[in-house]
Amino acid sequence: MAMALRIKKAVYALIGIVLMTAAGLCHAGQKTHTVFFEGEENELHVFRSFGRVEGKTLLIVGGIQGDEPGGFLAADYFADLSLEKGNLIVVPRANFPSITKKERQINQDMNRKFMDDHTRNYEAKVVEVLKELICQSDCFLNLHEGSGFYSATWESEQRNPGRYGQSIISDAAVLRRAKNAGAKDIDLEKMALTVIERMNASIPVPSQHFHFNNHRTNQPDSLHKEQRRSATYYAMNICKIPAFGIESAKSLPLEQKVKQHIWAVDGFMALMDIIPKTPGIDLKKPEMQYMIISVNDSIPVVVGKMQRLTIKRGDVIQVHDIITNYERGLSVDVIGLGNEFNDMKKKLKILESTRIEAKKDFYTCGSVFLDIRDTPGAVPIGRLAVSDSKKADGIRYKLKVNGETVMVDNYDHVRLNYGDRLVIVDIITGDIDPSEYVVNFKGFVGNNSRNDGEDRGYVIDTGAGVLMPRYSLERKGLKYHVVTTLGGEEVGKIYIDILKNS
Ligand SMILES: [Zn+2]
């Protein structure tokens, strides 16, 4: 037991060091996502956004009590935000176990564990991290939903000074810091009222307007002495930063509660001169992870990048979706079939082995393969076989000559009659994605507006004068070559010999 405790203490100390170090590094313009207690029931996700220009740091915590979705759903939007100036630390779901149960608490109220609490449970581990984050920030917002409606005077059971809903709460009107060297007192009431004025301009119903709710937590006659153990109390008294509870009234529609929290956070960001970047730019390389495919209207299967799905000749496939690191601009191309732009959701009858290429806009971002097995029994009935690509011995070429499929080995000669129509359908490359190669018919331009050298998929009519003899090997327009490159390096070729019977 003693041993276990010591190890736990060491772990907490380590977390502290990691957090401190992260804060000290230069992350201008970056976003980070840190997972604490990964794989445990209390997994904690922390999102940081660092502005291009230095500034103040605002901490937003949602979901410290799981039955208050207005807060954690609003926090999600800020987890994704890119910033021009200042920094955000966002913990959308502080108490994930309680969220999954839609309950205020599991073992203990997590928001009563920030001062003088020594009960070891998962809530304590999360609170340790939150305490570190609070002290790294210049202002802290705890997003809640409260019962009833706060009012400075007693109006009814549902609307009185003891209620929380539609209020911005602080533990005092002024945060006294003047005793600390160089620090100034902070007028919390003024901060809250500035934000409230902005928020109420968007709330048409006066009875739903927000109010400033000073808990006067440290005063002997405070109505809310239990808040002396809360996160905002810790922020004010230990970290000496302004801290507020944002309370949407539980009884309002969810959408309104989420919007109100967003307005409140917007208001505090403006006060702290934290400026969002609109829109955020993140031009990461597009990467497909999975393709969702059904065969003959089966339940769709998930086929990973560079995996192979074995089917029978004549099976009808349908690509339902692709999963990539982008959500928009996605399409698929079933090589040699379908239409010119997008084969997503099209039912296509597959008569020969082919490849499906995923694209994000015009960037190819991954392939999966359809392998035809004609041997009876090779494809178990009712079960689809997905396998990984093997290393290939060498590149092979899949061509169509006047509509007939021809397979050609690397460095082979292909003999065509003048007037034959050739299509370089694809190359077969084993465990490297064929879309990473460029297959260039020297002397033919497939796409005039974007001559990237890629000539797969075009009909090359050898009798239509589209070939340029000056690029032929003998400069007479009868011997051409198709050169394959990977990353600019030549890795293979085939020869196209045209017979002219004059
Ligand atoms: Zn709450």
Side-chain angles (χ1 to χ4, degrees), residues 326-341:
Y326 284 88
E327 283 178 32
R328 292 179 288 275
L330 305 178
S331 67
V332 295
D333 183 9
V334 181
I335 303 292
L337 280 174
N339 70 27
E340 193 184 341
F341 301 107

Side-chain angles (χ1 to χ4, degrees), residues 247-484:
E247 299 275 356
S248 272
K250 265 198 168 84
S251 57
L252 294 176
L254 181 62
E255 193 179 326
Q256 183 179 344
K257 293 186 281 195
V258 173
K259 275 186 183 167
Q260 289 174 172
H261 277 114
I262 289 173
W263 294 332
V265 174
D266 273 346
F268 280 100
M269 282 176 63
L271 278 186
M272 315 257 322
D273 200 23
I274 297 171
I275 303 169
K277 188 194 263 178
T278 42
I281 294 176
D282 182 6
L283 298 175
K284 55 192 178 287
K285 182 176 181 246
E287 296 274 4
M288 180 194 78
Q289 285 108 35
Y290 302 105
M291 206 173 273
I292 315 293
I293 305 172
S294 66
V295 181
N296 302 328
D297 293 322
S298 68
I299 295 169
V301 286
V302 173
V303 187
K305 185 173 185 171
M306 292 304 287
Q307 284 194 312
R308 321 183 74 87
L309 178 63
T310 303
I311 59 171
K312 298 188 300 298
R313 198 176 302 277
D315 277 350
V316 173
I317 66 104
Q318 190 179 12
V319 179
H320 294 267
D321 203 358
I322 54 175
I323 311 302
T324 78
N325 53 352
Y326 284 88
E327 283 178 32
R328 292 179 288 275
L330 305 178
S331 67
V332 295
D333 183 9
V334 181
I335 303 292
L337 280 174
N339 70 27
E340 193 184 341
F341 301 107
N342 189 2
D343 296 324
M344 190 83 82
K345 298 195 165 63
K346 297 242 159 17
K347 288 191 177 181
L348 296 169
K349 191 173 189 171
I350 306 299
L351 295 171
E352 21 181 328
S353 295
T354 186
R355 174 167 69 94
I356 310 177
E357 192 170 271
K359 285 166 83 177
K360 191 263 165 185
D361 302 323
F362 42 75
Y363 300 98
T364 56
C365 61
S367 295
V368 306
F369 301 87
L370 298 174
D371 287 344
I372 302 269
R373 286 279 181 285
D374 281 326
T375 346
V379 184
I381 293 163
R383 229 171 89 222
L384 291 164
V386 177
S387 59
D388 290 323
S389 291
K390 300 273 179 341
K391 220 172 192 66
D393 296 333
I395 294 167
R396 298 189 76 211
Y397 297 75
K398 181 177 170 182
L399 311 178
K400 276 200 168 145
V401 178
N402 300 327
E404 291 287 316
T405 299
V406 182
M407 298 302 300
V408 178
D409 287 329
N410 214 359
Y411 304 108
D412 270 4
H413 284 256
V414 181
R415 290 188 176 79
L416 300 180
N417 290 312
Y418 184 78
D420 279 349
R421 281 168 299 110
L422 169 73
V423 178
I424 305 164
V425 179
D426 203 4
I427 55 171
I428 289 145
T429 57
D431 59 356
I432 299 177
D433 195 320
S435 70
E436 290 180 23
Y437 294 80
V438 174
V439 184
N440 184 358
F441 189 120
K442 298 289 182 184
F444 173 78
V445 178
N447 186 334
N448 277 308
S449 63
R450 179 172 62 93
N451 189 7
D452 50 11
E454 178 55 62
D455 292 322
R456 274 173 284 184
Y458 297 100
V459 177
I460 303 167
D461 188 338
T462 58
V466 293
L467 298 181
M468 293 174 280
R470 70 178 184 278
Y471 291 100
S472 63
L473 294 168
E474 27 64 283
R475 298 190 150 252
K476 288 179 185 158
L478 297 175
K479 290 179 187 299
Y480 290 89
H481 59 170
V482 176
V483 177
T484 301

Side-chain angles (χ1 to χ4, degrees), residues 64-65 68 104 111 143-146 247 250:
I64 201 164
Q65 291 140 345
E68 301 175 8
R104 179 179 176 86
N111 202 25
L143 309 185
H144 292 264
E145 290 184 22
E247 299 275 356
K250 265 198 168 84

